[in-house]
Amino acid sequence: MADALEIRLATAADVPALRALGVAALHDAHDGVLPPAVVEAGIAEWWNEYSLGAACRDGRMLVATRGGRAVGLLEFDRMADGRPVVWKLYVAPGAQRAGIGRALLQRHVAGLRGAADAVWLEHYEANTGAAAFYERLGFTARSVEPSDRDPGVRIVSRALDL
């Protein structure tokens, strides 16, 4: 019998595992799809111990574990206008296609029902796997814009109506 999936709020003690998971998943999803400089800039900005630690301290990070090992994460917040947003949703490369990303999103969305009209997220346009995943879960594309960091890279904004 496989170990059960546990989803909980992440703590500061989870930061090293979250960083390792995120860096591996980011490379897995984006190497060969995005320019290497974009991937490395994303790691430096979003996967550093300070940013991950702040999300954990503020109660904005869910971690999925199986057998005591981090296998997925979801970071959430609210945009300046109050809209709920998912900033990160990643599953460890060896644990993908097992329902972990779906379970993380479902857990987060369940907590938003009745408190928001929609939840938002973004992904790189070139990440067709992410696009297909989010579409299967009911997220619809609302806009496609050039990245602030690299105008040759486009960002898709999606929302799921609640």
Side-chain angles (χ1 to χ4, degrees):
M1 178 173 134
D3 290 323
L5 184 68
E6 178 189 355
I7 297 175
R8 62 174 170 76
L9 282 173
T11 68
D14 294 310
V15 169
L18 296 172
R19 185 177 182 331
L21 184 159
V23 169
L26 196 72
H27 278 295
D28 185 62
H30 301 300
D31 284 354
V33 175
L34 295 175
V38 172
V39 174
E40 291 307 317
I43 289 169
E45 183 175 352
W46 299 310
W47 296 99
N48 62 69
E49 288 188 18
Y50 176 81
S51 295
L52 293 168
C56 292
R57 284 189 304 278
D58 295 345
R60 298 181 289 109
M61 180 78 75
L62 295 175
V63 60
T65 62
R66 181 167 276 149
R69 186 174 71 86
V71 293
L73 62 84
L74 182 148
E75 182 183 344
F76 59 94
D77 204 348
R78 291 202 175 253
M79 290 191 246
D81 64 7
R83 291 181 291 164
V85 62
V86 171
W87 289 127
K88 294 180 179 87
L89 176 60
Y90 287 91
V91 174
Q96 294 175 357
R97 302 210 181 281
I100 296 166
R102 177 184 297 269
L104 282 161
L105 266 173
Q106 287 173 336
R107 163 82 180 269
H108 179 60
V109 167
L112 293 173
R113 295 212 187 273
D117 295 332
V119 62
W120 291 78
L121 54 77
E122 297 176 341
H123 65 85
Y124 293 111
E125 184 180 46
N127 189 342
T128 57
F133 172 73
Y134 293 129
E135 286 172 8
R136 281 193 306 275
L137 294 179
F139 283 83
T140 57
R142 303 291 172 96
S143 69
V144 180
E145 308 275 334
S147 166
D148 293 339
R149 182 171 286 110
D150 183 340
V153 174
R154 294 165 41 101
I155 307 292
V156 179
S157 292
R158 292 182 178 272
L160 173 68
D161 293 325
L162 302 177

